[in-house]
Amino acid sequence: MDALVTGVTNQLEALEAALYDLKRVRGRFAAEDGSVTAEVDGDGALTGLWLAESMTSRPPSEVAESILWACGRAAAEAGAQRSRIVARLNESFTPGNVAGNPDSA
């Protein structure tokens, strides 16, 4: 019974840690030339956008393309972070770690 309680407690802690980490996910990408920097949260929502003064001299279509490109790269980074967090959580629920495993009681 102690092993079962320990297993459940460990899984609860792993879940709480994953939820905490998921709330803190941020993806950020800055263009090499410093013209645009975008930051998104774990859901892919834009949380920050910085444009260099040099962007004001570019055509609007180029500015839009640069912004979307930076946002996409930032979202990819956030997605990668989320994937790593979920993978760690999944590892904590592997058969050897699952509470209620008949071999663990």
Side-chain angles (χ1 to χ4, degrees):
M1 186 54 100
D2 289 340
L4 178 63
V5 170
T6 299
V8 169
T9 300
N10 290 342
Q11 289 177 342
L12 178 60
E13 289 172 358
L15 180 58
E16 288 173 343
L19 291 172
Y20 176 79
D21 290 343
L22 286 170
K23 289 179 186 175
R24 297 174 47 95
V25 168
R26 293 287 181 271
R28 188 178 183 120
F29 178 80
E32 286 184 22
D33 65 0
S35 60
V36 61
T37 300
E39 181 180 86
V40 302
D41 65 14
D43 294 323
L46 187 64
T47 58
L49 179 64
W50 298 268
L51 301 174
E53 184 68 31
S54 62
M55 293 295 270
T56 61
S57 64
R58 297 183 183 176
S61 61
E62 186 180 322
V63 173
E65 184 178 323
S66 296
I67 291 170
L68 291 174
W69 178 70
C71 289
R73 297 289 301 264
E77 171 58 30
Q81 289 175 32
R82 287 179 62 94
S83 293
R84 289 189 295 271
I85 293 166
V86 171
R88 276 197 318 263
L89 179 61
N90 286 340
E91 287 174 13
S92 72
F93 285 94
T94 57
N97 296 328
V98 174
N101 181 346
D103 297 329
S104 66

